Amino acid sequence: MSFPLPCRILALTISALLFWHPSSTTPSRHVVLVSIDGLAAYHLENEELELPNLRELIVQGAWADASQTVFPSVTHPSHATLVTGVSPRQHGVLGNRMTNRETGASFHVSSRTRKEAIRVRTLFDAAHEKGLVTAAVCWPETRGDVSIDFNLLHGHEELDPGDVDPGLLAELREAGIPIDSYYDWSKEGGTQGYRDLLRAKAATHLIQQHRPHLLAVHLMVTDSTQHA
């Protein structure tokens, strides 16, 4: 599915938020990167659309006048570019599905680890190297990423839930978030709205309990609805 520029994917809101730590007299900076898959950026310029939460994030965060997506303008190459700053030719994620030229085998890029999928440094790497706390909720190509402290893996149908940190899953269950259904329903096409709600609740929990310096969240119901 394609949309007019700036891109198929993104109404992208990057919010640089200030949180006060009770034991500190100075604020520390926290970045929350929110990707809404399938929401073209031009919708945000339509004042007739009631998007109060997004507009509030724009006011409090950062807003770009224009942007242009990478080619191909599909989810996984685009998200890899967002966290690396380079083109698919450089980071290596050339499509949602890719083919091994030597064997002819086709595979979804989500089935690979981050090191196998992305060949260059990411924002998570940069933050981790500075000793900052990092987190990701449903962010593509983060499987086995040692630079992410709290990682709720993208619930793609090819994902083995055993790859998800059991401690994080237990923590979310204890907080009353029915996170198991997020993975149990990964093959159900009509559940993205509910699964986005679980992603949002998980992200909120991580902010409240762990205050990550970098948190990336990927929401998908808009994309799923338009495909349907």
Side-chain angles (χ1 to χ4, degrees), residues 12-200:
L12 186 69
T13 303
I14 304 177
S15 299
L17 306 177
L18 290 179
F19 293 138
W20 288 87
H21 291 277
S23 60
S24 173
T25 58
T26 58
S28 60
R29 290 190 176 275
H30 299 252
V31 174
V32 179
L33 172 64
V34 181
S35 164
I36 304 178
D37 203 322
L39 178 60
Y42 61 77
H43 289 309
L44 296 177
E45 300 174 357
N46 182 357
E47 295 296 333
E48 294 183 1
L49 290 180
E50 296 184 9
L51 305 169
N53 294 323
L54 286 179
R55 300 197 193 287
E56 184 67 18
L57 284 173
I58 289 170
V59 170
Q60 295 184 18
W63 168 257
D65 290 332
S67 66
Q68 182 169 326
T69 191
V70 297
F71 180 82
S73 58
V74 292
T75 295
H76 292 264
S78 300
H79 281 76
T81 290
L82 284 171
V83 294
T84 63
V86 300
S87 68
R89 179 189 295 270
Q90 293 170 281
H91 60 58
V93 182
L94 304 178
N96 291 348
R97 295 194 67 87
M98 297 194 292
T99 300
N100 185 313
R101 291 183 178 180
E102 295 180 356
T103 66
S106 176
F107 61 91
H108 198 287
V109 68
S110 287
S111 66
R112 298 300 191 259
T113 66
R114 177 262 143 135
K115 283 292 187 182
E116 292 172 325
I118 299 180
R119 303 184 302 206
V120 299
R121 292 174 72 249
T122 68
L123 288 176
F124 298 113
D125 293 330
H128 182 74
E129 290 164 8
K130 294 293 185 180
L132 302 177
V133 178
T134 58
V137 175
C138 188
W139 198 265
E141 281 62 77
T142 58
R143 180 181 168 208
D145 194 334
V146 297
S147 292
I148 303 177
D149 298 301
F150 302 95
N151 191 4
L152 188 65
L153 284 173
H154 179 17
H156 190 271
E157 62 181 11
E158 296 185 30
L159 172 73
D160 180 356
D163 290 334
V164 187
D165 178 7
L168 177 57
L169 293 177
E171 179 181 327
L172 294 174
R173 294 184 197 111
E174 181 67 23
I177 300 172
I179 198 62
D180 296 291
S181 61
Y182 173 70
Y183 295 105
D184 292 342
W185 292 359
S186 62
K187 298 181 181 180
E188 299 293 332
T191 64
Q192 285 290 13
Y194 174 66
R195 296 175 75 218
D196 268 4
L197 176 61
L198 294 179
R199 294 177 186 116

